[in-house]
């Protein structure tokens, strides 16, 4: 073959090679274009359009916000997510993310060739850029480990990533990525993660805390920092993040070396419906919100979702005061409970914890509780017979129960029959506490019990118990209002009877005094201070039970009040919520302001959905309200509440003082209030007021047969007043709260004299507490 022929053949072969190269190249390009067009059109699954990209579908928890701007808790089902903006993220958190996940983040437009190549070849890594990872989190699902499927998956993520880059700024993409990630343990998004793992807001995270959270992006299930999971692996992963930050110049090598030697220093604070601050209030609020949602649909007619729509609920609760209230309950109740357990052993009382009941009555009571319980309902629904269900209550069963340990609420594992566990739980004393700002009606603190996990019935608002002598100020106020009596007016302290209708018959009601005898006269101030039943009876006889009941209703008492003389001593069942609202009217110059818990509700974008309007009504004249307050000041000056003024400790009564946590209290400022103790010491109350805060406390057993045998421990001054005292001491120490120590404001015109000569027969603050309990509704 000649050289010419050979050259012609080579040229022809080269031409064919070039031709096929371009054909294959163009075909490849066309294939890639078609691939992306197909993906864009949804050929590999639905693709988000512009509207969806602008408003990605994510479940956002409803946030409960206190009056001082703290998050009290959230409402959510699966996603405990509350988004934050880029400005709320510390710089070192963002630096840790970029150094570890995508160092060229600010240089690319959503894709990285090397990252995409790893995804297509299946050589590990997955989506390489932060934007692609966000696309995967928001809009795609990894359906297969097959390389071809993963390649298609990456194409889809690539397209979405580029769209996201056009839709959002780099800072918005970073914020969305932090907000979308699931850190485990109900920590959805960076805000929940910071709160749950370190008990702080994202902006307050330290460098090493940020590094740990960024390290969890690799696999939050594997790198779980909880002690029971993988703290060592999580620490090692955190150290990798610190090394990456040092590699790219975000921190120095010295800082890296120092931080790598430190522990994780978790402050694990679970966020669940049964844990955290204000659990009882949050349960009440959940019902409140459901009622609001049912009456207030969205503009398009759809129903709001409390758990997914990201509502922001602004409440009146002050997180600081709430913590003080919960701390006061925890300071007092374990000691009081220890005294109760000491007095109610089986050796001393065969039917313990029930006092004064025979065995058959206790058996009937437990049988009733058995049928009302969840265990009975569940087994009944499963088809078990009544006999089989009852038998199951007498079989030992492993369970976790509540217990006070070293003054703290705890859980212990034990083996116990369900019937014994019922008796065990009934032996615990319960409490309810509410604190309200009288002028606005804002509820500032709400405690419904000692531990929500184990005692879910809310004794602050759900439970109604006999008010005892805390009802007496309504009688005295009615007498002041109707008869223009003065605190200095005197009445005889002698036996007194009233004819009363009972079951269609006319009978005499003759209340007896408790803790002291009879004789002489007493001023109204001294009589209320010492809870003198006979003088209270004389007053209700003068004004009539209907007048007193009407006044109580006007003051916000919605519970049933029988129109009988004995209401003077507090026979009606009322809640702490009602009583605090009623007493607040005295401090608010006679104006009743309906208690409020929610000030406004916003959607996730901050659009106002609800703004509360105060509901007020004038019930008493300013003069009458002030005179009533001055009457109640006598309770803490010379009566059953005078222990609030104590400055010394009687060592001979050290065992008793041990349960009066915070004693001596040493208050010197004006305090108006009233103690209350019902028959057999079943209920202990204290209502206390200063000019800008009214607080009520109740303590008692689930059943009225669960009580102390004497008033030394069972009176309101011993059971309830200490919680008020500790709470107020803590509030006063918190100077930012501005709780008043001033006197109650005197009305411009005051015709009724309130300053009396020194009253006689004033009792010692502890006198009467050791007396036997009164009989037949003779409450104090």
């Amino acid at each position: 073959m000649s050289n010419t022929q050979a050259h012609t053949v080579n040229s022809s072969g080269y031409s064919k090679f070039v031709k096929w190269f371009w054909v294959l190249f163009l075909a490849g390009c066309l294939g890639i274009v078609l691939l992306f067009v197909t993906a864009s059109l949804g050929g590999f699954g639905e693709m988000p359009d512009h509207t969806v990209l602008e408003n990605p579908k994510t479940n956002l928890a409803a946030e409960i916000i206190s009056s001082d701007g703290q998050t009290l808790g959230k409402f959510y089902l699966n996603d405990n997510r509350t988004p934050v903006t880029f400005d709320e993220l510390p710089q070192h958190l963002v630096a840790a993310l970029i150094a570890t996940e995508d160092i060229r983040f600010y240089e690319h437009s959503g894709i990285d060739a090397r990252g995409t190549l790893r995804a297509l070849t299946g050589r590990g890594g997955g989506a390489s850029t932060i934007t692609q990872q966000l696309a995967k989190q928001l809009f795609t699902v990894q359906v297969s480990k097959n390389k071809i499927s993963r390649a298609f998956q990456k194409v889809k993520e690539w397209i979405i990533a580029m769209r996201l880059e056009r839709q959002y700024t780099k800072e918005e993409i970073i914020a969305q990525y932090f907000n979308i990630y699931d850190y485990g343990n109900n920590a959805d998004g960076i805000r929940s993660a910071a709160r749950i793992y370190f008990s702080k807001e994202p902006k307050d995270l330290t460098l090493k805390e940020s590094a740990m959270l960024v390290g969890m992006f690799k696999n939050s299930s594997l790198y779980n920092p909880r002690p029971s999971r993988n703290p060592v692996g999580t620490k090692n992963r955190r150290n990798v993040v610190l090394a990456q930050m040092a590699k790219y110049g975000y921190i120095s090598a010295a800082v890296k070396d120092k931080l790598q030697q430190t522990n994780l220093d978790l402050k694990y604070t679970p966020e669940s419906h049964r844990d955290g601050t204000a659990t009882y209030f949050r349960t009440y609020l959940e019902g409140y919100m459901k009622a609001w949602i049912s009456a207030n649909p969205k503009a398009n007619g759809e129903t709001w979702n409390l758990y997914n729509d990201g509502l922001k609920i602004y409440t009146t609760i002050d997180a600081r005061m709430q913590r003080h209230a919960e701390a006061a309950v925890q300071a007092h109740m374990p000691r009081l409970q220890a005294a109760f357990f000491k007095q109610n052993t089986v050796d001393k009382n065969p039917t313990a914890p029930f006092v004064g009941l025979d065995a058959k009555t206790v058996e009937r009571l437990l049988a009733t509780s058995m049928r009302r319980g969840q265990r009975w309902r569940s087994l009944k629904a499963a088809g078990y017979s009544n006999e089989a269900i009852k038998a199951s209550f007498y079989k030992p069963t492993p369970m976790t129960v509540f217990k006070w340990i070293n003054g703290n609420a705890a859980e212990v594992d034990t083996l116990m029959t369900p019937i014994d566990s019922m008796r065990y739980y009934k032996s615990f004393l319960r409490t309810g506490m509410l604190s309200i700002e009288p002028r606005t009606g804002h509820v500032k603190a709400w405690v419904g019990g000692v531990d929500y996990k184990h005692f879910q019935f809310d004794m602050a608002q759900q439970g109604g118990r006999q008010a005892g002598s805390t009802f007496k100020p309504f009688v005295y106020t009615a007498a002041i209002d109707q008869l223009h009596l003065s605190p200095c007016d005197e009445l005889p302290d002698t036996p007194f009877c009233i004819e009363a209708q009972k079951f269609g018959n006319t009978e005499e009601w003759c209340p007896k005094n408790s803790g002291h005898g009879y004789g002489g006269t007493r001023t109204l101030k001294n009589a209320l201070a010492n809870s003198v039943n006979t003088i209270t009876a004389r007053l209700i006889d003068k004004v009539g039970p209907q007048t007193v009941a009407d006044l109580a209703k006007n003051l916000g008492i919605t519970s049933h009040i029988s129109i009988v003389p004995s209401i003077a001593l507090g026979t009606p069942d009322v809640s702490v919520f009602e009583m605090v609202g009623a007493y607040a009217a005295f401090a608010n110059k006679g104006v009743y302001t309906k208690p409020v818990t929610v000030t406004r509700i916003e959607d996730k974008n901050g659009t106002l959905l609800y703004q509360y309007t105060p509901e007020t009504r004038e019930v008493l004249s300013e003069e009458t309200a002030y005179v009533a307050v001055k009457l109640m000041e006598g309770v803490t000056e010379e009566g059953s509440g005078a222990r609030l003024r104590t400055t010394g400790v009687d060592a001979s009564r050290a065992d008793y003082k041990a349960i009066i946590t915070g004693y001596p209290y040493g208050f010197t400022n004006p305090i108006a209030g009233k103690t209350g103790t019902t028959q057999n010491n079943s209920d202990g109350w204290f209502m206390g007021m200063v000019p800008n805060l009214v607080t009520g406390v109740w303590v008692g057993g689930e059943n009225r047969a669960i009580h102390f045998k004497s008033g030394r421990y069972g009176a309101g001054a011993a059971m309830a007043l200490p919680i008020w005292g500790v709470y107020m001491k803590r509030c006063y120490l918190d100077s930012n709260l501005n709780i008043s120590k001033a006197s109650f404001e005197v009305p411009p015109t005051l015709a009724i004299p309130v300053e009396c000569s020194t009253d006689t027969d004033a009792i010692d603050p502890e006198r009467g507490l050791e007396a036997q309990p009164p009989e037949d509704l003779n409450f104090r």
Side-chain angles (χ1 to χ4, degrees):
M1 181 183 294
S2 65
N3 289 337
T4 302
Q5 290 176 321
H7 177 73
T8 301
V9 171
N10 290 338
S11 297
S12 175
Y14 179 75
S15 298
K16 289 181 179 180
F17 172 78
V18 172
K19 176 182 178 182
W20 280 108
F21 171 80
W22 283 108
V23 168
L24 292 174
F25 177 77
L26 293 174
C29 291
L30 181 60
I32 292 174
V33 171
L34 289 174
L35 181 68
F36 278 89
V37 169
T38 302
S40 299
L41 295 175
F44 304 142
E46 185 178 357
M47 295 288 286
D49 60 17
H50 173 80
T51 303
V52 174
L53 284 173
E54 191 173 278
N55 296 284
K57 180 61 177 177
T58 54
N59 293 331
L60 303 179
E63 185 178 8
I64 307 166
I65 303 169
S66 69
S67 62
D68 54 322
Q70 298 186 40
T71 298
L72 293 174
K74 301 174 186 177
F75 295 130
Y76 64 92
L77 293 179
N78 298 313
D79 296 328
N80 178 24
R81 180 177 292 105
T82 303
V84 297
T85 63
F86 182 82
D87 293 338
E88 297 175 83
L89 302 175
Q91 290 184 354
H92 51 68
L93 179 67
V94 176
L97 175 67
I98 292 173
T100 307
E101 298 290 331
D102 188 359
I103 193 61
R104 292 179 296 279
F105 175 71
Y106 285 105
E107 301 170 11
H108 62 65
S109 298
I111 58 175
D112 181 347
R114 281 178 287 178
T116 303
L117 182 61
R118 287 198 303 270
L120 289 173
T121 59
R123 290 186 285 109
S128 59
T129 70
I130 292 172
T131 316
Q132 282 178 269
Q133 293 182 54
L134 176 61
K136 179 180 177 180
Q137 293 274 352
L138 286 173
F139 302 111
T140 65
V141 179
Q142 189 75 43
V143 295
S144 174
K145 293 185 178 181
N146 179 276
K147 291 183 178 180
I148 296 177
S149 298
R150 290 182 66 186
F152 288 142
Q153 183 81 14
K154 291 304 170 188
V155 171
K156 186 176 178 181
E157 292 170 11
W158 194 352
I159 294 170
I160 297 174
M162 290 188 292
R163 291 181 178 180
L164 288 172
E165 289 276 351
R166 291 197 300 268
Q167 189 81 25
Y168 298 102
T169 66
K170 290 287 188 178
E171 289 74 17
E172 289 172 333
I173 289 172
I174 285 178
Q176 285 195 61
Y177 187 50
F178 274 115
N179 286 328
I180 198 65
Y181 192 73
D182 180 0
Y183 291 86
N185 300 306
N186 288 326
D188 299 297
I190 188 62
R191 183 152 187 253
S192 293
R195 289 171 56 85
I196 289 174
Y197 292 120
F198 298 109
S199 193
K200 58 178 62 174
E201 294 296 325
K203 63 183 177 62
D204 300 319
L205 290 169
T206 65
L207 173 56
K208 71 173 188 177
E209 291 167 349
S210 292
M212 190 204 85
L213 293 175
V214 168
M216 293 177 71
F217 279 128
K218 188 173 181 66
N219 186 332
S220 60
S221 295
L222 175 61
Y223 299 109
N224 188 321
R226 292 180 62 186
S228 61
R229 301 297 294 276
N230 186 16
V232 175
T234 305
K235 179 180 177 180
N236 291 338
R237 178 60 187 166
R238 178 204 67 181
N239 289 348
V240 170
V241 174
L242 292 171
Q244 287 294 104
M245 295 182 74
K247 175 181 178 180
Y248 291 111
Y250 288 109
I251 59 175
S252 67
V255 169
K256 177 205 72 173
D257 293 339
K258 180 180 179 180
L259 292 181
Q260 284 182 335
Q261 300 305 312
T262 63
N263 295 322
L264 294 178
D265 294 330
L266 288 186
K267 190 176 180 182
Y268 184 64
T269 309
E271 285 191 349
S272 73
H273 305 302
R274 294 189 175 190
D275 293 298
T277 304
T279 46
Y280 290 92
F281 170 73
R282 286 189 274 132
T283 299
Y284 158 81
L285 185 63
E286 186 173 22
Y288 174 98
M289 286 302 301
K290 287 179 179 178
W292 180 85
I293 285 171
S294 67
N296 296 272
K298 297 180 181 179
N300 61 5
E302 295 180 358
T303 301
W304 290 103
N305 189 311
L306 178 61
Y307 308 102
N308 294 335
D309 283 345
L311 296 174
K312 293 185 180 297
I313 308 162
Y314 292 86
T315 72
T316 61
I317 297 292
D318 187 296
R320 299 160 298 181
M321 297 174 74
Q322 181 67 33
R323 287 192 291 269
H324 296 328
E326 293 177 2
V329 167
Q330 184 159 318
H332 177 62
M333 292 304 292
R335 293 169 173 80
L336 188 68
Q337 188 67 52
F340 183 75
F341 280 149
K342 185 177 180 179
Q343 294 184 23
N344 284 275
T345 63
V346 176
D347 293 338
K348 296 177 181 178
N349 176 23
T351 60
F354 304 97
V355 179
L357 299 183
D358 57 50
K360 288 187 177 180
T361 302
V362 172
E363 185 178 346
R364 287 196 299 269
L365 190 152
L366 292 175
T368 300
S369 297
M370 187 189 302
R371 289 177 175 271
R372 291 176 177 173
Q374 181 61 44
R375 180 184 182 86
W376 186 284
R377 291 194 297 269
S378 298
L379 292 175
K380 194 68 176 176
Y384 288 86
S385 66
N386 290 350
E387 292 74 16
I389 297 174
K390 186 174 181 180
S392 73
F393 276 82
Y394 293 87
K395 295 178 180 178
T397 305
M399 60 180 69
T400 301
V401 299
F402 172 84
K403 188 176 183 179
W404 290 114
I405 298 179
N406 298 324
N408 296 308
E411 293 181 322
V412 295
D413 294 328
T414 187
L415 185 69
M416 187 182 295
T417 65
I419 193 71
D420 284 341
S421 74
M422 288 172 54
R423 187 188 295 265
Y424 173 75
Y425 272 102
K426 287 183 183 297
S427 69
F428 282 91
L429 298 173
R430 315 295 176 86
T431 187
M433 177 182 182
L434 204 79
S435 198
I436 194 172
E437 192 176 76
R439 185 181 62 83
T440 62
H442 287 189
V443 175
K444 310 307 292 183
W446 180 313
V447 182
V450 294
D451 184 87
Y452 183 77
K453 276 188 178 181
H454 295 274
F455 306 96
Q456 294 184 16
F457 192 80
D458 185 355
M459 294 306 304
Q461 191 259 346
Q462 286 180 304
R465 296 295 287 260
Q466 287 185 322
S469 291
T470 58
F471 203 85
K472 287 179 179 177
F474 303 145
V475 180
Y476 281 73
T477 301
I480 295 168
D481 188 50
Q482 297 291 315
L483 307 175
H484 304 289
L485 296 181
S486 161
C488 307
D489 287 335
E490 296 183 352
L491 290 175
D493 181 11
T494 56
F496 184 77
C497 296
I498 300 174
E499 286 191 356
Q501 293 292 325
K502 186 176 183 181
F503 305 116
N505 300 315
T506 300
E507 296 183 356
E508 282 195 335
W509 177 63
C510 305
K512 300 176 183 178
N513 290 335
S514 175
H516 51 78
Y518 305 93
T521 62
R522 290 177 182 266
T523 64
L524 296 190
K525 184 176 182 179
N526 178 273
L528 183 64
N530 295 298
S531 247
V532 180
N533 291 336
T534 55
I535 289 182
T536 308
R538 290 178 184 274
L539 291 176
I540 200 168
D541 186 49
K542 291 177 181 293
V543 299
Q546 185 68 61
T547 301
V548 175
D550 290 344
L551 174 61
K553 293 291 185 183
N554 287 334
L555 289 171
I557 303 296
T558 57
S559 296
H560 174 71
I561 300 176
S562 298
I563 310 303
V564 294
S566 61
I567 64 171
L569 306 188
T571 55
D573 285 355
V574 295
S575 69
V576 178
F577 186 93
E578 293 173 279
M579 290 297 286
V580 173
Y583 269 65
F586 293 122
N588 194 33
K589 303 179 181 180
V591 177
Y592 171 77
T593 301
K594 186 176 180 180
V596 60
T597 56
V598 176
T599 55
R600 72 182 191 274
I601 302 170
E602 296 177 355
D603 68 11
K604 65 180 181 181
N605 299 316
T607 303
L608 184 65
L609 304 176
Y610 165 79
Q611 179 79 47
Y612 96 104
T613 302
E615 296 182 35
T616 64
R617 60 175 175 266
E618 184 176 338
V619 179
L620 302 167
S621 68
E622 187 174 346
E623 181 184 42
T624 298
Y626 179 75
V627 174
V629 167
K630 295 300 289 183
L631 271 172
M632 286 186 275
E633 282 186 4
V635 174
T636 66
E637 292 170 353
E638 58 173 339
S640 55
R643 66 182 51 202
L644 292 172
R645 309 281 181 200
T646 54
T647 56
V649 179
D650 182 357
S652 67
R653 296 172 61 105
D655 62 326
Y656 176 63
K657 294 299 187 300
I659 74 163
I660 312 301
T661 311
Y663 186 96
Y665 301 101
F667 291 111
T668 58
N669 56 294
I671 299 171
K674 188 69 190 79
T675 58
T677 311
T678 64
Q679 185 172 334
N680 296 327
N681 307 296
S682 294
D683 305 277
W685 290 79
F686 184 71
M687 306 295 301
M689 301 186 290
V690 296
N692 65 349
L693 193 67
V694 177
T695 304
V697 183
W698 168 89
V699 175
E702 176 189 324
N703 184 278
R704 286 188 170 90
I706 298 168
H707 57 78
F708 284 99
K709 292 183 178 180
S710 76
R712 179 182 181 186
Y713 292 94
M719 288 210 293
L721 178 144
I723 294 176
W724 190 94
V726 175
Y727 169 66
M728 290 299 292
K729 285 179 74 171
R730 292 178 65 96
C731 285
Y732 280 133
L733 288 172
D734 195 337
S735 59
N736 292 326
L737 294 176
N738 295 316
I739 305 301
S740 175
K741 288 187 176 181
S743 299
F744 290 88
E745 186 177 344
V746 182
T749 58
L750 181 63
I752 299 176
V754 294
E755 300 298 336
C756 313
S757 59
T758 303
D759 287 314
T760 59
D761 199 25
I763 66 170
D764 179 84
E766 291 169 11
R767 182 183 163 194
L769 297 184
E770 298 175 358
Q772 291 299 311
E775 301 295 334
D776 192 24
L777 303 181
N778 297 314
F779 303 156
R780 60 185 177 282

